[in-house]
Amino acid sequence: MFIINCPYCGEREQSEFKAGGEAHIVRPKQPTELSDDEWAEYLFMRKNIKGIQLERWVHIHGCRKWFNMVRDTSNDQIHAVYKMGEKPPIK
Amino acid sequence: MSDNLRTSASKFIDQTTRVSFKFDGKTYFGFKGDTLASALLANNVHLVGRSFKYHRPRGIMTSGSEEPNAIVQINKNSSVTEPNVRATEVEIYDGLEASSQNCWPSVNFDIGGINNFLSPLLPAGFYYKTFMWPASFWEKYEYFIRKSAGLGQSPAEPDPDIYDHNYVHCDVLVIGGGISGIMAAKISAENNFKTLLLEERPNLGGTTIYQKNDYFKINDQYSSNWLEKEIEQIKNLKNLEIKTRTSVAAYHGYNYLLARENLTDHLPLEKKKNLIRQRLLKIRAKKVITATGSIERPLIFDNNDRPGIMLSSAIKKYADFYGVACGKENVLFTNNDTAYETAISLNNKGIKINAIVDIREQNKSDLTNEINKAGIKIYNSYTVIDTKGYKKINKITIMKLSKDGKTVTDSKIDINCDCLGVSGGWTPAVHLFTQSGGKLKFDDNDNIFIPSKYPSDQLSIGSCNGNLELDDIISNINVSLKNFLKINKTNFENLKINSSKSNSKRNIWLLPSDKTVSKTKAFVDFQNDATAKDIKLALREGFRSIEHVKRYTTTGMGTDQGKLGNMNALGIISDTSNVKMSDLGTTTFRPPYTPLTFGTIVGRNVGEFFDAFRKTPMHNWHVQHKAKFENVGQWKRAWYYPKGNENMHDAVQRESKAAREGAGILDASTLGKIDIQGSDASEFLNRVYTNAWSKLAVGKCRYGLMLNEDGMVYDDGVTTRLSENHYIMTTTTGGAANVLGKLEDYLQTEWPELDVYLTSVTDHYATASVCGPNSKKIISKIIPNLDLSDENFPHMSFKNAKIGNIKCRVMRISFTGEQSYEINIQANYGKSLWEKCMDAGNEFNITPYGTETMHLLRAEKGFIIVGQDTDATLTPIDLQMDWIVSKKKYDFIGKRSLYRSDTIRDDRKQLVGILTDDPNEVLEEGAQIVADTSKKPVEMLGHITSSYFSPNLNKSIALGVVKGGKNMMGQKLFIPMKDKIINVKIADPVFLDKENKRLNA
Ligand SMILES: [Zn+2]
């Protein structure tokens, strides 16, 4: 079980959090303008990386804030957490 | 039979306290401090079980948690019985009853033993190959497999014991209380780290604590004497907590570990009562030091599994620690010096050793010199090729090994023995290290896998780190702990250490014999009866991955998880397939390291504490009025209120009629309620619901449907505009938390620019819903000054009101199709509101109804229940609810998905009404709907989602989803059931009052 450093509350147990999938997938501003394929790309396509992944988490049993995380899926090391709207703090 | 093999006194055993116990119905005596295994061995009982597949007689093989054979059932036929317990770990107490497993009718005469003679028919993959076909026979096979497999008996009654969970935090966790763990714990605690030391055995000190050998000394004392003093000292360290009988089951990432503390298993039955039996420790450690030691490896040769064949280190422990001789005529068989330590111990106690068989061509060490001096015959460069004795070993045959170790030469020599100690070297116990994500590397020198890369702040020390010699262990601890704890010096830098050194090594994974491998039974995994032959067969059949070979041969899949066998299996695979051990890798070690009881895992979360449950403020009223309850999410909801001898059907029929004919009342407090405020609240609702919200006037209510982005219905409910920028949203009871989460997600991540605030107020309000033709009269009695006229308070509107001086909100909304009022009041007035409604409704025969009646009433009206009539594959169009999907709105969650090529298909499953030809036939929910039963396989068109007998229509009604159902109105279809086929017709899903006349009646 991870220890996650919530950007608003500090370090807490993983059981207080919920994962929300890949980060930085922006909902299209004009969905009606999109073809089926383009909409499907937004709706269904997610990366499944072995290695460094940017992902969304929410402190669901805490401050209920969403934030982003840089996690290495091969060893579960969390390299950084950052607030929604911020750029990933890695190169 | 009752030879006493207790040969010497031991300070670890209290020989003044006799303990009586039973094994397979026979009474034996042992002493306090004995394990079941040591007490049985003292009584010369070796045969304790039968093997899993061939039912071969098996004896005690080890002295610890790696035991593969001596697996027993404790206190059979009682509620506290426990199967698959290792006799080598059970501490005996007065009244203990143990019995052997895997045998029927008895361990001495076992019918399954016939498998031993049929063994040519039971090769690797036997289960996969034999029992697959024909599929219809599986039920019969399974019966026999289960009966003959017999991994003990699970208890038939609830577990009466108490279990506990405990969170533990420490700076340094030390796992293992042998010499390494004790040294590490002392260094850590004395350097101001809050330290926790865990040891799975009842006592500290590991194998060193009984080591009285001239060639292993620390500061000129026996290593045992030195360690004893250290143990006494650390007991007083204030930074150190020590727990024995505590085994670490799992080592997860981020130094999170689970350990089981065994508190009462060693106590007599009457002393266990009312005490906590086991405690699960949930440990979060800043640093972890693993000092889990190593496990001796057996040697692989023909018939290496007979009772009386044991690990040489186990024989030493039984002699030195328990004062028990495992045999009277002992032989040791080894590839390293360990067996010589055993020989010295036995010799010093006057226990006879007939010979030592050593596969090494020569060896010179302090230990071998001592044995030579003692005049014990050593056969160098010899191997055991066979053993004899059915229920107990009585003879071995040895032959000379060729130079390359691949064949045997010269003549056979027989040696009599009643106990054979084997040593194939040592395997570091790296299970916990790898569980934590650690990577291993192969050490060619000692043929072991050792830790190479730590995934968290942790350190392996001692023999689990591959440091197999005493001086090695201590010097490594001194170096690595300074670095690990960032300290300048340790307490053990100037120790004087004597440690016997061996000067030769020879490793042969599968020892040769005069027979071909296919004619031998050389066991690799004793518990699962996997032999060298099986592994070679698996490789011949094309299995390459170590994980596949494991599953095909079942090697390492027993309750011992291959603690003894895995390395030998790898070695044989490596030799046979010419792949280096380092390239082969190991199978994954998974938690738990040793089996855990379910009781420990669940702790106190049993019975009413299994899950939290939520009660409405009116709950006690429902209880007093004999309501039956159903679980909806975590809520306990009144299901129906039986009167007299009514069954559920009768009660629901009565409640349903009353609600339509007079007045009914429902506790609707469980519906999710979300308070929505902010200048963009209307815009927000526009985006999350399918219909339009901007034009909803203050004081009005509207039904809304919420989709997922994939266009499928997610939740529904009525939302009310309380004021310009203030709404109250209701959700389904089960969906409340998820809806709030979803709304927060969009607000925070997609639309942070919106000025909207969400608050869950589900628990803040109690809700009584009064419906039926008399509802208006009842409400007017409770709130006399409220204008209830249809002009001023029409359907789908809201008013603030007061009952006495308590504020409440009244919504005129309906889920039943009847005129209906919902009163929402501060939760702590919920019960008195309910009672007021009951009083006021008394003259109109107001009838409380539960969720079942609510479901029936809404089904009559064709209203859906999200989650019952929908299953995340239905769009609003599929539900024939096109009317609620705004065509004008530019966007809302899920809109774009409603015209994907897949969602606009005509032949999607669509919600329709279903009427049976026979009005009294009530369909089963979940029943399949078909058009043609003659063509096999029958095509399934859909299924029934809701079905009731409607007392108000006096016929059976149902809702269901049917492929293309929307355009099949009136069509005849069939519901095939086990014993009949039911004729049905597709109908309008609104069965009652399609014109909504009753809402204003
Ligand atoms: Zn937080």
Side-chain angles (χ1 to χ4, degrees):
Chain A
M1 244 202 302
F2 315 161
I3 298 265
I4 296 173
N5 189 11
C6 171
Y8 304 92
C9 307
E11 290 189 346
R12 297 287 191 279
E13 280 251 337
Q14 186 187 347
S15 55
E16 293 186 13
F17 297 83
K18 197 174 102 176
E22 191 181 338
H24 301 292
I25 293 178
V26 180
R27 187 176 188 272
K29 285 273 175 282
Q30 298 176 314
T32 44
E33 314 286 308
L34 301 182
S35 69
D36 268 12
D37 284 349
E38 287 165 333
W39 180 245
E41 182 67 28
Y42 160 71
L43 199 53
F44 302 121
M45 297 307 177
R46 296 294 181 272
K47 293 197 197 88
N48 186 12
I49 298 165
K50 183 177 181 182
I52 299 287
Q53 179 164 291
L54 307 180
E55 47 194 37
R56 287 155 29 95
W57 285 75
V58 59
H59 194 183
I60 190 89
H61 300 297
C63 64
R64 293 188 72 89
K65 288 278 199 187
W66 283 88
F67 58 92
N68 291 323
M69 180 189 288
V70 183
R71 183 172 69 102
D72 188 332
T73 60
S74 69
N75 60 15
D76 284 339
Q77 292 306 305
I78 298 168
H79 294 290
V81 291
Y82 55 104
K83 292 178 180 175
M84 279 294 156
E86 291 178 355
K87 289 221 159 54
I90 52 155
K91 328 88 250 193
Chain B
M1 274 299 282
S2 57
D3 317 55
N4 186 358
L5 290 176
R6 188 87 56 179
T7 56
S8 55
S10 160
K11 65 176 163 195
F12 304 105
I13 299 299
D14 176 5
Q15 299 213 18
T16 60
T17 311
R18 245 165 58 122
V19 174
S20 151
F21 67 98
K22 277 187 180 170
F23 179 67
D24 279 343
K26 195 175 164 199
T27 301
Y28 296 93
F29 294 97
F31 295 116
K32 192 163 175 242
D34 263 327
T35 61
L36 179 58
S38 69
L40 286 171
L41 288 168
N43 286 282
N44 201 13
V45 176
H46 276 261
L47 173 60
V48 289
R50 292 274 177 162
S51 71
F52 182 70
K53 201 157 83 181
Y54 304 123
H55 286 239
R56 284 166 69 101
R58 289 283 165 80
I60 297 157
M61 195 170 173
T62 74
S63 59
S65 63
E66 68 274 24
E67 176 62 36
N69 292 339
I71 306 294
V72 297
Q73 180 107 23
I74 299 292
N75 300 323
K76 208 172 183 171
N77 300 326
S78 77
S79 58
V80 293
T81 189
E82 194 176 349
N84 303 325
V85 178
R86 291 156 299 282
T88 49
E89 291 192 303
V90 177
E91 296 170 64
I92 57 166
Y93 50 82
D94 270 316
L96 170 72
E97 290 188 28
S99 41
S100 31
Q101 297 182 175
N102 280 2
C103 51
W104 184 80
S106 82
V107 70
N108 276 294
F109 176 75
D110 175 64
I111 289 195
I114 198 115
N115 285 357
N116 193 20
F117 304 105
L118 298 178
S119 63
L121 305 176
L122 298 172
F126 166 72
Y127 293 100
Y128 301 110
K129 285 170 180 162
T130 312
F131 294 122
M132 291 306 292
W133 311 103
S136 59
F137 267 47
W138 172 247
E139 282 180 28
K140 292 190 181 68
Y141 290 143
E142 193 188 11
Y143 173 79
F144 286 105
I145 289 174
R146 291 209 185 280
K147 191 165 165 64
S148 55
L151 275 176
Q153 242 178 39
S154 53
E157 293 161 52
D159 190 340
D161 283 322
I162 306 166
Y163 300 84
D164 219 354
H165 284 182
N166 206 351
Y167 288 92
V168 180
H169 298 267
C170 58
D171 295 328
V172 177
L173 171 68
V174 182
I175 310 168
I179 184 168
S180 307
I182 286 162
M183 290 170 70
K186 180 171 178 181
I187 296 168
S188 167
E190 291 200 337
N191 281 284
N192 283 326
F193 294 98
K194 191 184 161 211
T195 307
L196 174 63
L197 172 64
L198 304 180
E199 163 57 43
E200 69 174 346
R201 309 292 308 204
N203 63 294
L204 295 174
T207 57
T208 310
I209 201 68
Y210 51 88
Q211 181 70 287
K212 295 208 183 303
N213 187 308
D214 291 337
Y215 306 107
F216 297 100
K217 287 195 164 175
I218 300 174
N219 288 348
D220 297 320
Q221 311 163 52
Y222 283 136
S223 54
S224 52
N225 291 357
W226 179 85
L227 188 59
E228 235 165 64
K229 287 177 207 140
E230 290 297 322
I231 291 173
E232 279 318 303
Q233 275 182 28
I234 64 166
K235 283 180 180 165
N236 302 319
L237 289 177
K238 69 174 188 336
N239 261 333
L240 177 63
E241 187 181 2
I242 302 171
K243 285 180 186 287
T244 53
R245 297 189 177 95
T246 303
S247 61
V248 174
Y251 187 168
H252 298 291
Y254 290 72
N255 283 349
Y256 178 67
L257 300 95
L258 298 175
R260 179 204 48 203
E261 186 179 13
N262 208 333
L263 298 159
T264 65
D265 277 0
H266 59 293
L267 299 176
L269 288 171
E270 72 279 3
K271 284 201 185 158
K272 295 180 204 280
K273 285 219 174 85
N274 301 322
L275 296 177
I276 293 161
R277 182 189 169 201
Q278 293 177 350
R279 183 180 282 145
L280 187 72
L281 307 177
K282 302 176 173 186
I283 307 165
R284 190 69 84 163
K286 289 188 185 136
K287 289 169 177 285
V288 174
I289 297 173
T290 310
T292 45
S294 50
I295 298 168
E296 198 174 19
R297 291 207 281 263
L299 290 164
I300 310 302
F301 53 95
D302 194 13
N303 288 313
N304 60 343
D305 68 325
R306 299 191 190 282
I309 302 180
M310 305 174 68
L311 296 180
S312 85
S313 61
I315 294 173
K316 180 175 189 293
K317 178 161 188 182
Y318 287 117
D320 288 347
F321 189 91
Y322 298 103
V324 172
C326 293
K328 294 172 185 168
E329 308 270 341
N330 297 280
V331 174
L332 295 158
F333 178 28
T334 187
N335 69 4
N336 69 93
D337 266 15
T338 308
Y340 294 83
E341 282 182 50
T342 304
I344 289 169
S345 277
L346 298 188
N347 196 46
N348 287 346
K349 293 186 162 56
I351 303 168
K352 194 174 158 204
I353 301 158
N354 289 351
I356 296 181
V357 182
D358 191 331
I359 72 168
R360 296 175 295 183
E361 288 174 6
Q362 57 77 37
N363 183 52
K364 286 218 179 314
S365 70
D366 298 332
L367 299 173
T368 50
N369 289 343
E370 174 91 9
I371 291 301
N372 267 319
K373 266 192 276 172
I376 294 168
K377 172 77 182 163
I378 301 174
Y379 291 92
N380 271 115
S381 198
Y382 269 81
T383 181
V384 176
I385 60 155
D386 197 6
T387 67
K388 288 282 175 334
Y390 185 54
K391 287 177 194 167
K392 176 90 175 282
I393 189 169
N394 56 34
K395 190 166 70 180
I396 62 169
T397 306
I398 66 171
M399 281 180 86
K400 190 139 184 98
L401 276 165
S402 64
K403 203 114 193 101
D404 64 3
K406 288 184 175 154
T407 54
V408 284
T409 59
D410 295 358
S411 50
K412 295 180 186 177
I413 302 171
D414 287 347
I415 307 171
N416 290 333
C417 64
D418 61 355
C419 181
L420 174 67
V422 294
S423 178
W426 291 84
T427 302
V430 292
H431 306 69
L432 293 175
F433 166 78
T434 53
Q435 274 183 26
S436 78
K439 296 279 177 284
L440 298 168
K441 66 175 178 226
F442 191 70
D443 173 347
D444 289 305
N445 198 33
D446 287 317
N447 283 301
I448 51 178
F449 283 101
I450 53 172
S452 101
K453 209 174 148 216
Y454 297 109
S456 61
D457 198 356
Q458 59 168 297
L459 178 72
S460 290
I461 56 168
S463 63
C464 74
N465 188 44
N467 303 120
L468 301 174
E469 314 270 2
L470 183 62
D471 51 349
D472 240 16
I473 290 173
I474 295 173
S475 61
N476 176 64
I477 287 174
N478 280 330
V479 173
S480 61
L481 254 80
K482 274 190 274 191
N483 190 30
F484 183 64
L485 298 178
K486 298 184 177 61
I487 52 177
N488 295 324
K489 64 180 188 47
T490 76
N491 313 50
F492 304 105
E493 310 230 17
N494 299 311
L495 297 182
K496 181 186 168 201
I497 297 155
N498 297 60
S499 182
S500 169
K501 289 277 181 193
S502 133
N503 71 347
S504 104
K505 289 185 159 83
R506 189 180 196 186
N507 193 63
I508 303 173
W509 294 112
L510 173 58
L511 292 156
S513 89
D514 57 336
K515 296 186 205 133
T516 62
V517 176
S518 63
K519 294 266 186 319
T520 64
K521 278 216 187 74
F523 288 91
V524 177
D525 182 311
F526 293 84
Q527 194 175 93
N528 276 331
D529 269 357
T531 62
K533 179 174 73 177
D534 294 330
I535 291 173
K536 286 183 171 260
L537 177 67
L539 293 168
R540 265 207 314 283
E541 292 187 357
F543 289 90
R544 286 293 171 269
S545 152
I546 175 72
E547 295 283 358
H548 291 158
V549 174
K550 165 180 164 173
R551 280 159 184 78
Y552 195 56
T553 61
T554 69
T555 301
M557 289 174 70
T559 57
D560 61 335
Q561 291 201 34
K563 290 189 181 78
L564 284 188
N566 269 4
M567 277 305 288
N568 284 324
L570 285 170
I572 293 169
I573 293 168
S574 165
D575 280 355
T576 311
S577 58
N578 276 319
V579 178
K580 280 195 293 188
M581 291 287 274
S582 49
D583 296 336
L584 212 49
T586 64
T587 54
T588 313
F589 299 110
R590 293 195 171 83
Y593 178 66
T594 47
L596 285 177
T597 57
F598 281 111
T600 311
I601 295 166
V602 299
R604 305 269 174 155
N605 301 317
V606 290
E608 64 177 310
F609 300 121
F610 179 70
D611 193 10
F613 61 87
R614 301 168 78 181
K615 297 183 287 189
T616 73
M618 294 82 141
H619 185 83
N620 286 343
W621 191 94
H622 307 320
V623 172
Q624 280 157 17
H625 292 78
K626 309 267 186 307
K628 300 284 181 202
F629 289 89
E630 81 168 325
N631 297 328
V632 183
Q634 288 180 322
W635 287 102
K636 296 277 172 202
R637 292 200 73 178
W639 193 11
Y640 58 96
Y641 302 79
K643 270 191 178 168
N645 292 327
E646 275 182 344
N647 59 20
M648 174 163 154
H649 177 263
D650 296 341
V652 170
Q653 297 289 305
R654 172 181 52 75
E655 291 171 11
S656 301
K657 257 180 116 63
R660 293 224 188 275
E661 289 172 5
I665 180 166
L666 173 83
D667 181 356
S669 309
T670 64
L671 285 186
K673 294 176 270 293
I674 301 170
D675 185 275
I676 303 175
Q677 301 191 40
S679 55
D680 293 318
S682 303
E683 171 61 17
F684 181 64
L685 290 174
N686 267 334
R687 296 185 191 188
V688 301
Y689 278 133
T690 60
N691 46 351
W693 290 80
S694 320
K695 290 188 183 136
L696 183 72
V698 172
K700 294 292 180 188
C701 317
R702 182 164 287 172
Y703 173 76
L705 206 54
M706 202 179 283
L707 310 184
N708 264 330
E709 209 63 276
D710 62 7
M712 305 303 153
V713 171
Y714 182 69
D715 203 80
D716 69 346
V718 170
T719 295
T720 302
R721 191 166 199 170
L722 300 174
S723 66
E724 181 63 23
N725 293 325
H726 189 186
Y727 291 82
I728 180 103
M729 172 189 277
T730 60
T731 73
T732 59
T733 297
N738 289 338
V739 169
L740 179 68
K742 181 181 157 98
L743 299 184
E744 286 178 330
D745 185 353
Y746 275 91
L747 260 187
Q748 289 179 35
T749 68
E750 299 293 352
W751 310 317
E753 72 279 6
L754 293 186
D755 175 38
V756 176
Y757 303 88
L758 306 174
T759 310
S760 167
V761 293
T762 304
D763 291 320
H764 304 34
Y765 293 95
T767 308
S769 173
V770 179
C771 82
N774 292 319
S775 56
K776 195 179 284 179
K777 292 177 203 150
I778 295 167
I779 302 299
S780 69
K781 279 176 73 181
I782 303 169
I783 319 173
N785 53 2
L786 186 63
D787 180 355
L788 291 171
S789 65
D790 289 344
E791 310 79 63
N792 289 326
F793 198 173
H795 181 57
M796 297 308 267
S797 59
F798 140 83
K799 281 195 191 307
N800 281 312
K802 273 188 172 178
I803 301 176
N805 55 1
I806 309 302
K807 282 191 223 162
C808 62
R809 291 173 181 160
V810 184
M811 278 91 169
R812 185 168 171 186
I813 52 178
S814 173
F815 189 42
T816 59
E818 294 301 315
Q819 187 180 114
S820 174
Y821 297 87
E822 259 188 37
I823 306 175
N824 290 274
I825 200 159
Q826 195 179 312
N828 47 337
Y829 294 107
K831 190 160 172 250
S832 72
L833 167 68
W834 184 271
E835 282 163 348
K836 264 190 160 34
C837 292
M838 290 305 296
D839 285 349
N842 195 27
E843 59 178 299
F844 307 104
N845 192 25
I846 191 170
T847 300
Y849 66 92
T851 50
E852 190 63 22
T853 292
M854 173 185 83
H855 287 183
L856 192 161
L857 294 172
R858 65 85 209 182
E860 290 176 336
K861 278 292 289 176
F863 291 150
I864 59 158
I865 290 187
V866 173
Q868 175 164 342
D869 300 298
T870 73
D871 61 0
T873 66
L874 296 170
T875 68
I877 321 301
D878 298 337
L879 294 171
Q880 305 212 47
M881 291 173 75
D882 313 45
W883 54 270
I884 202 170
V885 181
S886 164
K887 302 272 182 307
K888 288 186 204 137
K889 277 202 298 186
Y890 181 71
D891 190 17
F892 55 82
I893 296 172
K895 178 179 169 94
R896 176 62 186 83
S897 291
L898 296 180
Y899 54 94
R900 290 177 56 239
S901 58
D902 186 58
T903 41
I904 55 173
R905 280 188 295 116
D906 285 336
D907 62 344
R908 290 178 62 81
K909 284 184 182 169
Q910 290 147 355
L911 189 80
V912 290
I914 306 273
L915 289 173
T916 48
D917 287 3
D918 173 0
N920 291 316
E921 176 81 54
V922 179
L923 297 169
E924 264 183 40
E925 289 174 358
Q928 295 292 320
I929 304 169
V930 307
D932 182 0
T933 54
S934 62
K935 210 174 82 222
K936 306 279 162 55
V938 177
E939 191 198 354
M940 305 298 179
L941 294 181
H943 65 275
I944 303 294
T945 59
S946 294
S947 173
Y948 307 91
F949 186 82
S950 159
N952 298 302
L953 298 159
N954 201 26
K955 66 177 179 187
S956 152
I957 57 167
L959 298 172
V961 289
V962 177
K963 274 185 195 164
K966 223 189 273 189
N967 298 318
M968 289 167 72
M969 197 57 58
Q971 195 165 321
K972 284 184 176 303
L973 293 171
F974 308 101
I975 313 278
M977 300 302 291
K978 200 170 178 185
D979 50 354
K980 61 183 168 187
I981 292 174
I982 303 167
N983 297 327
V984 298
K985 249 198 327 281
I986 295 204
D988 190 318
V990 184
F991 300 102
L992 181 130
D993 187 28
K994 187 147 186 159
E995 308 75 30
N996 291 330
K997 287 183 186 149
R998 305 178 72 99
L999 288 172
N1000 294 310

